[in-house]
Amino acid sequence: MIPFGDLSREYSELAYEIEQTIKCVCRSGWFVLGKKVEEFENAFAQYIGNSTFAIAVGSGTEALHLSLVAAGVQQGDYVITAPNTAVPTVSAISSAGAEPLFVDVDENSFNINPSLLRETVKKQKRDLGKKLKAIIPVHLYGQSADMDPIIEIAREFNLKIIEDACQAHGAEYKGCKVGSLADYAAFSFYPSKNLGAYGDGGIILTKDPAEAEKLKMLRNYGQEKRYYHKIIGFNSRLDDIQAAILLVKMKYLDKWNERRKQIANLYSELITNSKIIKPSEQPHCRHVFHLYVVRFLQRSELQNYLESNGVRAMIHYPIPIHKQQAYNYLGFTENDFPVAEKLAKEILSLPIFPQLMNTEVETIAELINKFAGVFAADEVLQIA
Ligand SMILES: Cc1ncc(COP(=O)(O)O)c(C=O)c1O
């Protein structure tokens, strides 16, 4: 079977370094918010650049949630995001007590459509006034959203921006790393991410030192110093074993992102059947291919065909958020976000991870070409 991902291949490359660093933390006797966490925060902030501060937390979801709280989002407020994101983007909005509003996405980038965003913000600002608080653009699959118009809209309508960079470690927009482009940014270190821990983890980036201090309190029961609680907080902390592992793995992040890019290029070169729409790098973006997502009208048949030929492909994500049962209460219906709904029926994520071999990519591409060839020409997808 060619797996969708295989972290054991990565571990076999790094086993010695990882085991040594874990031992080092165990011997130090300090396990939560210790020296390794601080070292990792500094290293990650430096990696993202643009004078950011980094605050390590328990997960990407928590990074989004605490950013929303720091931005002043509270019960009864509204936050805009994309309907085709991973559900935790929206769980974080719910955790902050706010309600999600959605804006449809661009068919080619898979990211929030800035013209539709402007229309929605204009309308909702009229209806909701100050209750419309923030926008969470998602850098989906490892490619930046089109940030310039989003920032312009946020400035004009006095909204905060929280980048959801959970899938985009190392991705760039106009030469700057994502995570440094707005008021706050959230990254996830879930094991399968481009930079992943050996458990849950996340980090928040901000350029504002006062916000960084507030976020440090929010993650640690609201305390300014031990047992002095200045604000109401949470428990969302990174542990030192995860930070130590992340420090080891960070050294390889650029090399691994380069390898992901090579794999993406190889897929794009070898998949020759025009019935398959391949992902494209948008202008001004450096894509880090957390996922390589193709589109095909008979997506489910293709997925089953690959599975029966020993290839695991997945769908990110089969049901847009507004059609998930948990969000029925919002009252959205079919066709409210037609592009996201159409994409959900056509997308298929092919295996991509740094240790995937070229021979495996070749096998997958060959299978896809063979299968796509079976379908008639009038079933070709139309690109917008
Ligand atoms: C786009 C997006 N946002 C948020 C998250 C949440 O991150 P975590 O799983 O670390 O809570 C994820 C991770 O799956 C994600 O892909």
Side-chain angles (χ1 to χ4, degrees), residues 4 6 61 145 172 184 210 242 254 256 361:
F4 186 73
D6 182 0
T61 313
E172 289 177 16
Y184 313 86
Q242 299 308 337
D254 284 338
W256 286 338
V361 177

Side-chain angles (χ1 to χ4, degrees), residues 303-334:
Q303 186 184 25
N304 293 338
Y305 174 78
L306 289 173
E307 183 76 25
S308 60
N309 282 281
V311 175
R312 174 74 33 88
M314 294 179 73
I315 301 165
H316 300 88
Y317 300 93
I319 305 173
I321 313 285
H322 65 285
K323 291 175 74 184
Q324 293 281 357
Q325 194 180 340
Y327 292 95
N328 276 350
Y329 79 95
L330 294 170
F332 291 111
T333 56
E334 188 78 25

Side-chain angles (χ1 to χ4, degrees), residues 58-64 84-90 92 136 138-141 164-168 186-193 199-202 290-291 317:
S59 68
T61 313
E62 276 299 298
L64 289 164
N84 63 340
T85 184
V87 87
T89 314
V90 183
I136 307 184
V138 183
H139 306 313
L140 201 69
Y141 307 151
D164 184 338
C166 286
Q167 300 187 357
F187 289 84
S188 162
F189 300 124
Y190 184 76
S192 60
K193 300 298 189 204
D200 277 312
H290 174 58
L291 295 170
Y317 300 93

Side-chain angles (χ1 to χ4, degrees), residues 230-268:
K230 196 170 174 181
I231 54 177
I232 296 171
F234 306 88
N235 175 356
S236 180
R237 304 175 294 217
L238 190 68
D239 66 73
D240 282 65
I241 289 181
Q242 299 308 337
I245 293 167
L246 287 163
L247 273 165
V248 168
K249 290 181 62 173
M250 234 189 97
K251 292 187 289 188
Y252 302 95
L253 177 56
D254 284 338
K255 190 179 104 184
W256 286 338
N257 279 343
E258 243 350 276
R259 175 64 190 145
R260 284 175 182 270
K261 182 80 170 248
Q262 266 177 11
I263 294 170
N265 288 343
L266 193 57
Y267 270 131
S268 296

Side-chain angles (χ1 to χ4, degrees), residues 153-194:
I153 295 163
R155 286 216 182 105
E156 194 178 325
F157 292 92
N158 197 22
L159 301 170
K160 295 285 184 198
I161 300 179
I162 296 133
E163 293 176 69
D164 184 338
C166 286
Q167 300 187 357
H169 316 65
E172 289 177 16
Y173 179 75
K174 298 198 169 167
C176 289
K177 290 229 164 62
V178 305
S180 67
L181 305 170
D183 300 295
Y184 313 86
F187 289 84
S188 162
F189 300 124
Y190 184 76
S192 60
K193 300 298 189 204
N194 289 31

Side-chain angles (χ1 to χ4, degrees), residues 218-236:
L218 281 172
R219 75 172 166 187
N220 196 16
Y221 317 135
Q223 57 191 356
E224 192 175 30
K225 57 181 182 178
R226 209 165 197 181
Y227 307 132
Y228 287 80
H229 301 266
K230 196 170 174 181
I231 54 177
I232 296 171
F234 306 88
N235 175 356
S236 180

Side-chain angles (χ1 to χ4, degrees), residues 84 107 110 140-141 293-297 299-300 303 314-319 340 342-350 381:
N84 63 340
E107 185 163 345
F110 300 105
L140 201 69
Y141 307 151
V293 178
V294 297
R295 290 170 54 198
F296 185 58
L297 212 51
R299 179 270 314 278
S300 299
Q303 186 184 25
M314 294 179 73
I315 301 165
H316 300 88
Y317 300 93
I319 305 173
K342 175 163 132 66
L343 291 174
K345 293 183 189 124
E346 299 170 352
I347 48 177
L348 189 65
S349 311
L350 305 181
L381 274 177

